Amino acid sequence: MKKVVSIALSLGLVCSAGYIAEAKSAAKTYKNCTELNKDYKGGVAESSSAKNKGGKTKYKPYVSKELYTANKKMDRDNDKIACEK
């Protein structure tokens, strides 16, 4: 009986760990820059080494490769920063 319970608990932990990792990796996709800038005023950068090509900005971008990749279509000047302000 103890063996069955321990196997069931182990299986439950393995399944829940996979679910948590999957939920964490799903980045939100925004429909436009106005929506993205409500959550991230400075936009989203792919990495901390990304340099803005569009001129002076007010805010520093949030760095997240997953979030940038999900919203890459909004990086008009292809400088690895989406919706910079």
Side-chain angles (χ1 to χ4, degrees), residues 64-81:
S64 171
K65 184 174 177 99
E66 293 81 19
L67 193 58
Y68 173 80
T69 303
N71 296 284
K72 189 175 183 175
K73 66 180 185 268
M74 291 183 269
D75 184 8
R76 294 180 301 180
D77 55 3
N78 296 316
D79 61 356
K80 306 293 182 191
I81 305 172

Side-chain angles (χ1 to χ4, degrees), residues 40-45 48 57-63 81 85:
Y40 306 99
K41 286 188 177 188
V44 177
S48 59
T57 57
K58 272 181 153 176
Y59 306 103
K60 189 173 182 176
Y62 177 77
V63 177
I81 305 172
K85 251 187 173 180

Side-chain angles (χ1 to χ4, degrees), residues 5 10 24 27-28 32 53 56 59 63 71:
V5 171
S10 297
K24 199 174 192 181
K28 183 174 181 182
N32 56 40
K53 291 195 298 190
K56 191 174 179 178
Y59 306 103
V63 177
N71 296 284

Side-chain angles (χ1 to χ4, degrees), residues 30-60:
Y30 293 88
K31 64 179 181 178
N32 56 40
C33 283
T34 303
E35 294 296 314
L36 188 138
N37 288 137
K38 286 179 184 177
D39 293 336
Y40 306 99
K41 286 188 177 188
V44 177
E46 182 179 44
S47 69
S48 59
S49 62
K51 300 291 180 205
N52 181 23
K53 291 195 298 190
K56 191 174 179 178
T57 57
K58 272 181 153 176
Y59 306 103
K60 189 173 182 176

